[in-house]
């Protein structure tokens, strides 16, 4: 009855005023409401900012505290120098912090590094003065820094929040002053299918923080502290207790290579000891020169925007690459070694066996823009590799998850057509609730079919940018639930969370593939599926001498063409008899013998700087991995802390701190904490509502709210007209 009455009144009003007026009001009101609110907000603040904003230079970021005028934020620029010798890279990162405002400030900057970086040195440069940082227990380093900040001394604190995410705090930067922070780290060079590569991340993809928000953080050896996310967009949650530390503010406006906002300069020196056939950077333009067998690389335009990973790739001339190599370093009368083992690539695929392949694709908001195109292209390419004996399924996830089929189905033409059409309509939106999708993928049963045997091989291919903050929880589930499956991760986007995806693949006994550009989809996915069908190098064993300390402690299985890097502490002498490596490649026995001439003549040994540091870093990583296999936090900390202190390495339990003993800030001046911006990853769609768009559906809520407001106004108008009648 009420609906009928409303319809009559609505029809009468349409006839009286004209239907086009109500149609126009219905279509435009949400936009009008949103615009009016925006104008009101801007009008309330424009008077305060007007005088200052007229003088602001292009690209300058402004900050304003409540009741105060706008001030320019501290800025930073970065310079990176890479020196590659053999399979090791020593990298120096200089970050220059400039305070363009009128206040004394504390700069807070979150920055990424490679997930396997062993950070071993910190220096603070103030004009001609150089202060060398010291490695300390994390709580002690923070106490020293906070005391220096309070006393007006210049200080730097570098902390590890994740193996690939760090925070840098610089205390008491005077108005107009520049302070340079110099970090040095060591990492191994990646080698895959005959090609060497080195990756340098430059910005951070915003991570999704699952769980319920809390006002306290559980950090620094399980001490509960109240937090105010002064430089992050997220509050701690019950699943991500340090969300405020790994959610740096993003600078939405993107620069360009010709006029970067967050500027980086990169130079590299390659001394491989062998002729190189090619050197390239797939995502940046580079200038190349060669002298006496040493190759020099720099950015062609001098500097670039910090909005995508810098990747350098090179390949050796044909016949120059050894099947195995051993690099050594002597430190404090102790020998350390790094074994590089490249099993011979099989030229034939393994015999076709029934497989069950589950594709898991991330369609959350952080995948918006170019990333979702890369993900859809990768999945489409993967579907083409399925054979008639394979079964498959597709799982999509964002705020929720859904499987295309109830169970894995045969890779028939009809089912593949359904999957292709499903993939074509995928769109990026919502949160990144990864755990339910991962649980479904690892437990999803195949169809019960008496005419088909159970698959001999079960493979899960996970396509994502890895933008999550609960990595530890996901690692634990992979370790507990993997069973006989193999997990392969495909990293998508210009700045993915590579640490999460590399470790997830490691725990899943698979491999990690990185796709940074749509043009790479075909090549990278073809190479991945070729490796999936090749024989696995199993039962690998290295005949180490007694008493050595090897990491990883257990030699993993390898896919043909994949590298093996093992770090070892040999003790006070080299193995005179050399090393013997043996294993199975498919069903074929394979072995390799390495000799050490330096064992008979130590003076002839080539000292490879960084091997000892890399061994300590791998051992720390291996000890931390034990947490996901049931060891307690105290057990891990007792073993990692002394090792990190001895080798001066940044870790979850140690931090670098540098303090200038001279008091520089007057007592009458207060130091204000200011966040420094990161550039949004190249190609990622703007993350407008809450940070990032993965975490909320605020855009939809705003339009829904406007629509409900329209309905409310319409009902009020009808009731008033009814009363008049």
């Amino acid at each position: 009855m009420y609906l009928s009455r409303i319809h009559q009144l609505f029809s009468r009003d349409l006839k009286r005023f004209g239907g086009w007026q109500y149609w126009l009001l219905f279509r435009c009101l949400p936009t009008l409401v949103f615009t009016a609110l925006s104008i009101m907000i801007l009008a309330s603040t424009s008077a305060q900012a007007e005088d200052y904003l007229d003088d602001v230079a292009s690209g300058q970021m402004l900050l304003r505290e409540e009741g105060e005028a706008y001030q320019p934020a501290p800025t930073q620029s970065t310079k990176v120098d890479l020196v590659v010798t053999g399979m090791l890279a020593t990298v120096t990162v200089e970050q220059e912090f400039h305070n363009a405002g009128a206040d004394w400030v504390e700069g807070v900057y979150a920055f990424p590094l490679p997930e396997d970086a062993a950070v071993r040195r910190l220096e603070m440069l103030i004009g001609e003065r150089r202060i060398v940082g010291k490695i300390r227990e994390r709580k002690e380093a923070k106490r020293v820094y906070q005391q220096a900040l309070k006393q007006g001394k210049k200080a730097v604190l570098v902390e590890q929040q994740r193996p690939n995410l760090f925070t840098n705090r610089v205390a008491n930067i005077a108005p107009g002053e520049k302070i340079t922070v110099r970090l040095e780290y060591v990492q191994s060079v990646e080698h895959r299918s005959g090609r060497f590569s080195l990756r340098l991340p430059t910005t951070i993809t915003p991570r999704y923080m699952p769980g319920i928000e809390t006002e306290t953080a559980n950090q620094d050896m399980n001490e509960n502290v109240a937090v105010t996310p002064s430089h992050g967009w997220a509050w701690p949650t019950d699943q991500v207790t340090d969300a405020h530390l790994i959610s740096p503010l993003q600078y939405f406006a993107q620069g360009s290579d010709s006029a970067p906002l967050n500027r980086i300069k990169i130079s590299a020196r390659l001394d491989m000891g062998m002729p190189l056939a090619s050197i390239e950077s797939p995502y940046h333009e580079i200038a190349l020169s060669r002298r006496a067998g040493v190759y020099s690389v720099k950015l062609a335009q001098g500097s670039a925007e910090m909005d995508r990973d810098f990747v350098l790739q090179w390949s050796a001339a044909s016949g120059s690459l050894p099947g195995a190599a051993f690099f050594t370093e002597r430190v404090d009368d102790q020998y350390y070694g790094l074994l590089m083992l490249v099993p011979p690539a099989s030229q034939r695929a393994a015999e076709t066996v029934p497989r069950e392949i589950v594709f898991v694709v991330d369609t959350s908001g952080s995948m918006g823009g170019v990333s979702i195109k890369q993900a859809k292209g990768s999945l489409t390419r993967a579907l083409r590799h399925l054979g008639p004996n394979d079964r498959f399924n597709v799982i999509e996830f964002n705020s929720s998850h859904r499987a295309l089929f109830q169970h894995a189905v045969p890779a028939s033409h009809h089912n593949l057509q359904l999957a292709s059409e499903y993939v074509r309509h995928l769109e990026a939106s919502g949160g990144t609730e990864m755990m339910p999708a991962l649980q479904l993928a690892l437990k999803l049963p195949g169809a019960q079919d008496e005419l088909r045997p159970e698959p001999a091989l079960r493979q899960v291919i996970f396509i994502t940018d890895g933008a999550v903050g609960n990595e530890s929880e996901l690692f634990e589930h992979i370790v507990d639930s993997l069973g006989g499956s193999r997990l392969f991760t495909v990293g998508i986007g210009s700045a993915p969370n590579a640490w999460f995806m590399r470790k997830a693949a490691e725990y899943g006994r698979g491999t990690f593939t990185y796709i940074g550009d749509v043009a790479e989809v075909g090549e990278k996915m073809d190479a991945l599926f070729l490796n999936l069908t090749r024989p696995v190098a199993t039962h690998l064993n290295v005949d180490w001498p007694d008493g050595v300390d090897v990491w990883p402690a257990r030699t993993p299985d390898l896919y043909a063409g994949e590298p093996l890097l093992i770090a070892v502490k040999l003790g006070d002498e080299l193995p005179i008899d050399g090393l013997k490596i043996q294993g199975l490649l498919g069903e074929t026995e394979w072995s390799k013998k390495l000799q050490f001439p330096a064992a008979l003549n130590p003076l002839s040994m080539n000292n490879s700087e960084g091997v000892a540091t890399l061994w300590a870093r791998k051992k720390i990583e291996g000890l931390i991995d034990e947490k996901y296999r049931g060891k307690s936090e105290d057990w891990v900390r007792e073993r990692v802390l002394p090792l990190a202190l001895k080798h001066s390495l940044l870790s979850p339990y140690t931090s670098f701190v540098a303090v200038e003993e001279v008091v520089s800030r007057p007592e009458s001046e207060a130091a204000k904490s200011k966040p420094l911006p990161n550039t949004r990853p190249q190609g990622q769609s703007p993350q407008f509502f809450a940070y990032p768009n993965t975490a909320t559906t605020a855009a939809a809520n705003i339009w829904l709210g406007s629509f409900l407001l329209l309905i409310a106004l319409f009902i009020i108008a009808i009731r008033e007209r009814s009363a008049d009648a």
Side-chain angles (χ1 to χ4, degrees):
M1 182 177 68
Y2 289 104
L3 291 176
S4 177
R5 176 60 177 162
I6 290 174
H7 175 72
Q8 293 175 2
L9 292 172
F10 185 56
S11 300
R12 183 192 65 188
D13 289 339
L14 283 178
K15 294 177 180 178
R16 180 182 302 176
F17 297 103
W20 66 271
Q21 293 173 321
Y22 274 98
W23 177 87
L24 183 63
L25 183 64
F26 179 82
R27 293 297 301 268
C28 297
L29 185 59
T31 302
L32 292 174
V33 171
F34 184 77
T35 303
L37 291 174
S38 301
I39 293 174
M40 293 174 61
I41 294 172
L42 291 174
S44 66
T45 59
S46 60
Q48 300 178 19
E50 183 177 3
D51 294 339
Y52 187 82
L53 293 178
D54 289 340
D55 301 326
V56 171
S58 175
Q60 190 171 9
M61 182 179 180
L62 306 179
L63 297 175
R64 186 176 75 87
E65 296 183 6
E66 185 176 357
E68 297 185 4
Y70 280 86
Q71 293 289 336
T75 60
Q76 71 87 30
S77 58
T78 302
K79 178 182 177 182
V80 179
D81 183 47
L82 305 98
V83 178
V84 179
T85 305
M87 292 299 295
L88 294 174
T90 302
V91 185
T92 303
V93 180
E94 288 189 2
Q95 297 171 336
E96 182 183 271
F97 297 85
H98 178 217
N99 178 14
D103 297 323
W104 288 77
V105 299
E106 174 198 22
V108 182
Y109 182 60
F111 64 99
L113 287 179
E115 65 275 9
D116 59 343
V119 182
R120 64 179 186 178
R121 190 168 299 164
L122 166 71
E123 293 180 350
M124 177 172 60
L125 307 177
I126 311 168
E128 299 297 325
R129 306 189 301 278
R130 182 172 67 96
I131 296 93
V132 178
K134 297 180 180 179
I135 192 73
R136 295 177 182 264
E137 187 176 355
R138 184 163 180 164
K139 289 180 66 176
E140 174 64 15
K142 183 176 290 187
R143 185 193 65 79
V144 171
Y145 172 81
Q146 291 175 341
Q147 183 178 6
L149 174 65
K150 183 178 180 181
Q151 293 175 346
K153 300 177 181 179
K154 287 182 171 55
V156 173
L157 176 68
V158 180
E159 297 179 294
Q160 175 183 311
Q161 311 302 343
R162 296 288 188 274
N164 63 339
L165 177 58
F166 302 79
T167 52
N168 197 346
R169 308 184 78 97
V170 184
N172 297 311
I173 310 176
E177 188 175 39
K178 295 181 180 180
I179 294 179
T180 299
V181 177
R182 180 181 295 162
L183 291 172
E184 181 184 277
Y185 67 85
V186 175
Q187 71 173 125
S188 57
V189 174
E190 182 180 347
H191 177 267
R192 177 177 293 188
S193 300
R195 180 180 293 181
F196 298 91
S197 65
L198 201 64
R199 190 176 61 85
L200 175 69
T202 64
T203 192
I204 301 166
T205 295
R207 286 166 163 84
Y208 174 77
M209 311 299 174
I212 301 173
E213 288 186 353
T214 65
E215 295 184 358
T216 60
N218 192 310
Q219 61 186 42
D220 291 342
M221 278 54 76
N222 298 321
E223 179 183 4
N224 286 318
V225 296
V227 297
T228 301
S230 59
H231 67 282
W233 54 263
W235 287 88
T237 73
D238 56 352
Q239 295 185 37
V240 189
T241 58
D242 59 350
H244 59 300
L245 298 177
I246 63 172
S247 55
L249 289 173
Q250 297 285 314
Y251 196 18
F252 288 131
Q254 286 180 298
S256 64
D257 288 342
S258 59
L261 299 173
N262 258 0
R263 188 163 49 91
I264 187 170
K265 295 182 178 180
I266 302 174
S267 61
R269 181 174 175 269
L270 300 180
D271 185 6
M272 295 295 294
M274 65 180 76
L276 302 182
S278 65
I279 302 175
E280 61 181 0
S281 178
Y283 316 126
H284 293 78
E285 293 184 5
I286 59 174
L288 178 65
S289 61
R290 176 185 176 185
R291 184 176 181 181
V294 178
Y295 300 83
S296 297
V297 179
K298 63 180 181 180
L299 293 176
Q301 298 183 3
S303 63
E305 180 64 57
M306 296 176 64
D307 61 355
R308 59 199 183 275
D309 291 359
F310 173 80
V311 176
L312 189 64
Q313 299 174 340
W314 63 97
S315 57
S318 179
S320 299
L321 182 65
F326 196 76
F327 306 90
T328 55
E329 182 182 19
R330 186 178 181 183
V331 178
D332 297 333
D333 295 328
Q334 295 289 302
Y335 289 98
Y336 297 84
L338 179 66
L339 173 65
M340 181 191 76
L341 178 62
V342 183
S346 173
Q347 298 302 316
R348 63 175 182 86
E351 293 183 6
T352 303
V353 296
R355 295 183 302 173
E356 180 181 314
I357 301 183
V358 181
F359 300 100
V360 185
V361 59
D362 183 352
T363 58
S364 63
S366 68
M367 295 285 289
V370 175
S371 295
I372 191 65
K373 296 179 181 178
Q374 296 174 9
K376 292 165 67 173
S378 301
L379 191 46
T380 300
R381 190 82 175 194
L383 291 172
R384 297 175 186 172
H385 283 276
L386 297 179
N389 293 326
D390 295 330
R391 297 187 181 190
F392 78 101
N393 204 346
V394 179
I395 299 174
E396 172 203 1
F397 75 92
N398 41 57
S399 297
S400 58
H401 66 282
R402 60 205 62 83
L404 175 58
F405 305 108
Q406 292 184 352
H407 49 68
V409 298
S412 64
H413 177 74
H414 174 70
N415 289 333
L416 289 175
Q417 283 290 103
L418 290 176
S420 298
E421 189 66 14
Y422 180 76
V423 171
R424 191 171 68 86
H425 288 89
L426 294 178
E427 295 182 356
S429 65
T432 315
E433 292 293 342
M434 189 177 290
M435 178 63 80
L438 186 63
Q439 292 173 335
L440 182 61
L442 294 180
K443 294 182 179 180
L444 196 64
Q448 298 298 323
D449 189 340
E450 296 180 356
L451 299 179
R452 290 180 178 268
E454 288 298 319
L457 188 61
R458 192 170 190 275
Q459 298 167 333
V460 177
I461 300 178
F462 210 111
I463 304 173
T464 176
D465 60 3
V468 291
N470 61 330
E471 296 99 332
S472 296
E473 182 184 18
L474 294 167
F475 293 155
E476 291 177 1
H477 180 73
I478 293 171
V479 172
D480 292 340
S481 306
L482 184 67
S485 301
R486 295 292 186 270
L487 176 64
F488 299 84
T489 57
V490 179
I492 294 295
S494 54
N497 183 1
W499 168 65
F500 165 72
M501 285 174 287
R502 182 178 68 86
K503 293 301 294 185
E506 181 180 315
Y507 295 131
R509 291 179 287 180
T511 60
F512 165 48
T513 300
Y514 170 49
I515 298 177
D517 191 272
V518 174
E520 297 178 336
V521 168
E523 175 191 354
K524 295 291 183 70
M525 294 305 292
D526 290 349
L528 171 60
F529 269 82
L530 183 60
N531 275 345
L532 294 183
T533 58
R534 285 179 173 179
V536 177
T538 59
H539 300 90
L540 289 173
N541 179 61
V542 182
D543 188 17
W544 298 108
D546 294 336
V548 301
D549 195 351
V550 183
W551 292 93
R554 179 183 177 184
T555 306
D557 293 342
L558 292 179
Y559 286 85
E562 296 290 328
L564 171 64
L565 289 175
I566 300 178
V568 57
K569 182 179 180 181
L570 296 166
D572 54 7
E573 62 180 17
L574 292 171
I576 297 178
D577 297 331
L579 294 177
K580 183 179 181 181
I581 308 107
Q582 55 189 355
L584 293 176
L585 188 62
E587 298 180 355
T588 305
E589 293 186 0
W590 176 85
S591 64
K592 185 74 177 181
K593 182 75 173 181
L594 284 179
Q595 296 292 342
F596 299 102
L600 302 176
N601 182 14
L603 297 178
S604 66
M605 186 186 77
N606 292 324
N607 209 48
S608 300
E609 183 182 357
V611 170
T613 299
L614 196 62
W615 169 82
R617 175 69 179 81
K618 283 186 173 291
K619 181 170 182 177
I620 289 173
E621 182 181 1
L623 291 171
I624 293 174
D625 287 348
E626 292 299 315
K627 288 195 298 184
Y628 311 123
R629 299 185 176 96
K631 297 295 185 182
S632 67
E633 180 77 20
D634 291 339
W635 185 94
V636 174
R637 181 177 178 275
E638 288 175 2
R639 287 156 178 80
V640 170
L641 181 58
L643 184 64
L645 291 173
K646 179 179 179 180
H647 288 266
S648 296
L649 289 179
L650 204 60
S651 76
Y653 309 104
T654 54
S655 300
F656 271 111
V657 62
V659 177
E660 185 182 36
E661 294 303 322
V662 178
V663 175
S664 56
R665 175 174 55 82
E667 293 185 4
S668 58
E669 298 284 348
K672 300 180 179 180
S673 182
K674 302 289 186 181
L676 279 75
N678 291 89
T679 305
R680 174 162 46 88
Q682 185 187 49
Q684 186 183 63
S685 59
Q687 309 287 294
F688 289 112
F689 299 101
Y691 215 111
N693 193 38
T694 62
T696 183
T697 56
N701 292 338
I702 286 178
W703 286 98
L704 178 61
S706 299
F707 175 74
L708 293 176
L709 179 60
L710 169 63
I711 296 298
L713 292 174
F714 179 69
I715 292 175
I716 291 174
I718 289 178
R719 296 180 66 179
E720 289 179 351
R721 294 183 187 280
S722 298
D724 293 341

